[in-house]
Amino acid sequence: MEKISIIVPCYNEEESMPLFYKEICKVADEFKKVDFEFIFVNDGSKDRTLEIARDLSKDDKRVRYISFSRNFGKEAAILAGLDYSVGDYVAIMDADLQDPPSLLHEMYDGIKNDGYDCVATRRVSRKGEPPIRSFFAKCYYKLINKISKTEIVDGARDYRLMTRQMVNSILELKEYNRFSKGIFSWVGYETKWLEYKNVERVAGTTKWSFWKLFLYSLESIVAFSTVPLAIASIMGLIFFLVSFIMIIFIIAKTLVVGDPVAGWPSLVCIIFFVSGVQLFGIGFIGQYLSKLYLEVKGRPVYIVKETEKGKK
Ligand code: UDP
Ligand code: MG
C-alpha cells in the first residue's frame, strides 16, 4: 500500500497540536487506499509539545516524532522530517491549521492523475496580516526574483505534497543555510500550484516577528543570489571612472586658472560618501563570508535528542 508522510514542524504548539491531529485524522480516514505517517518535529519547544507528541504516538502507530535538543528553526525541522520520512509521498504542514489538511485530496490527485511531481500551495490574499508586513513582503519578492535565477513564488507556502523522487533530490542538497522555498524551486520538477485564501491560526501565536522575517529574507538573498557581490564591484568601477574624469578636469582647471584653495566642504562630503559606499560593499561581502564560514564548519543542521523509538 502507498504511504503519505506528513511532516509537522512544532515550536510551542501545545494548543494547536490536538486540534491539528483531529483534523488530519479526519482527512486521512477519507483516503481509502493510502497509508499515513504523521511526523511531529518538536523544535525545542518550551511547553508541553513533546509530551503531547509522546502521548499521540503511544495511542496511534501512525504518529512518529523527532525531538531536537534545542530550537533549531523551522528549516531544520523540515529537513529532519524529510530525513526521517519513509512515505512514497511527503507533505509539509504547519501545526496551526493554516495549511488546510483537506487540500491533500487535490494534491494527491494532482500527482497521481495529472502526473505532477509536486503540488504546492500559495496564498492569494494576506488577510489578517499587518499591512506594513504585506508591503515589505511584496517588495521582497520583487527584489529576489530580479536578482536570483531561482524563482521564488510570491505567497508560496511550505505546504506541499512531493514525490519520493523529489524528496530525495532535496535531501541531496547538503547546505547548512537552508532556505526551503528556494530549494524546492531549485531542484526543478513539475509543480502544480493551488491557490487559497489566507487562513488564520487556530490557536497560539505566530513565531515570526518582523525582525526575524527581515533577517530570514536577507538570508535567502545571500543563499540564492550573488548579485549583491556584483553590485559592489560595479559601484567600485563607476567610482573609479568618475574620479578619473575628475582628476583630468582638476588638472586642466589648474593649468588654465591656477589653484585657488577652495572646495573643502565638498571634499568632506565626497570622503563620507565614498567611504559609505565602501562599507556597504564590504558589508555585503561580509554577509557571504559569514555564510561561507558556517558552511565550511560543516555543523549538523539539527541535533536529535529523542524520537518515538526512545532517547538517542
Ligand atoms: N516553527 C518551528 N520552529 C520555529 C518556528 C516555527 O518549527 O523556530 C513551526 C511552527 O510551530 C509552525 C510553523 O513552523 O508549525 C509555522 O510557524 P508560524 O505559524 O509561527 O508561522 P506563520 O504561519 O505565522 O508564518
Ligand atoms: Mg502559522
Side-chain angles (χ1 to χ4, degrees):
M1 204 147 75
E2 285 186 324
K3 187 181 253 185
I4 297 181
S5 306
I6 311 277
I7 297 169
V8 194
C10 301
Y11 178 51
N12 297 342
E13 297 284 4
E14 60 178 0
E15 292 161 79
S16 328
M17 273 171 80
L19 301 170
F20 173 84
Y21 176 70
K22 223 173 90 196
E23 277 302 305
I24 196 72
C25 283
K26 222 190 290 163
V27 174
D29 292 341
E30 289 161 12
F31 280 83
K32 294 291 173 244
K33 287 192 236 75
V34 187
D35 238 358
F36 274 84
E37 69 172 354
F38 312 127
I39 306 176
F40 291 97
V41 186
N42 171 33
D43 184 13
S45 304
K46 292 183 175 59
D47 62 0
R48 296 187 53 253
T49 299
L50 176 59
E51 284 143 64
I52 294 172
R54 273 193 203 125
D55 291 345
L56 289 176
S57 78
K58 242 178 251 151
D59 301 336
D60 185 345
K61 281 287 143 268
R62 294 172 301 178
V63 176
R64 303 174 63 200
Y65 68 90
I66 306 165
S67 185
F68 288 172
S69 58
R70 64 169 170 85
N71 179 255
F72 281 91
K74 186 182 178 188
E75 293 292 341
I78 291 176
L79 177 68
L82 292 176
D83 271 334
Y84 275 64
S85 69
V86 296
D88 306 287
Y89 307 98
V90 180
I92 298 162
M93 242 185 246
D94 283 6
D96 55 12
L97 288 176
Q98 275 189 308
D99 302 329
S102 54
L103 281 180
L104 270 180
H105 291 290
E106 216 177 325
M107 292 178 156
Y108 184 69
D109 193 60
I111 291 182
K112 244 0 223 181
N113 300 330
D114 304 341
Y116 286 95
D117 303 288
C118 169
V119 181
T121 55
R122 58 183 287 254
R123 333 184 257 188
V124 283
S125 82
R126 290 176 162 272
K127 204 171 94 275
E129 197 182 61
I132 184 90
R133 186 177 284 200
S134 304
F135 172 74
F136 275 104
K138 268 219 184 77
C139 295
Y140 161 74
Y141 282 111
K142 274 223 181 83
L143 176 73
I144 183 100
N145 281 313
K146 279 240 161 61
I147 63 176
S148 168
K149 286 196 194 93
T150 309
E151 196 197 358
I152 313 285
V153 177
D154 185 2
R157 308 235 350 137
D158 290 328
Y159 182 27
R160 52 177 64 222
L161 185 71
M162 297 174 278
T163 59
R164 172 52 48 188
Q165 186 189 21
M166 181 165 170
V167 172
N168 287 343
S169 301
I170 290 168
L171 290 176
E172 271 175 47
L173 273 72
K174 304 282 185 216
E175 61 217 74
Y176 179 82
N177 297 288
R178 300 188 77 84
F179 177 63
S180 286
K181 278 192 186 80
I183 291 176
F184 293 147
S185 166
W186 189 91
V187 294
Y189 295 104
E190 294 293 327
T191 300
K192 178 179 178 180
W193 290 95
L194 301 181
E195 297 186 345
Y196 71 100
K197 293 222 166 62
N198 193 25
V199 186
E200 296 198 25
R201 262 185 171 268
V202 282
T205 51
T206 178
K207 310 314 182 274
W208 294 91
S209 63
F210 185 80
W211 182 240
K212 247 178 142 179
L213 273 176
F214 179 74
L215 291 181
Y216 185 60
S217 65
L218 212 65
E219 211 150 278
S220 71
I221 290 175
V222 174
F224 278 91
S225 171
T226 49
V227 169
L229 286 175
I231 290 176
S233 23
I234 290 170
M235 277 203 297
L237 190 70
I238 292 172
F239 273 71
F240 172 74
L241 289 176
V242 169
S243 66
F244 191 70
I245 293 167
M246 275 160 77
I247 287 168
I248 292 178
F249 176 75
I250 287 166
I251 292 174
K253 199 176 141 205
T254 316
L255 288 178
V256 178
V257 294
D259 185 37
V261 178
W264 192 82
S266 57
L267 196 64
V268 173
C269 292
I270 291 167
I271 290 173
F272 263 87
F273 180 62
V274 173
S275 49
V277 170
Q278 280 176 345
L279 279 179
F280 181 76
I282 293 171
F284 255 116
I285 294 168
Q287 285 288 327
Y288 285 89
L289 190 70
S290 71
K291 295 296 163 200
L292 190 70
Y293 177 58
L294 288 171
E295 294 288 348
V296 168
K297 276 196 202 180
R299 286 183 181 168
V301 179
Y302 58 88
I303 293 172
V304 175
K305 191 174 167 199
E306 183 186 328
T307 69
E308 80 279 359
K309 296 196 184 76
K311 297 233 192 260
K312 288 273 280 184

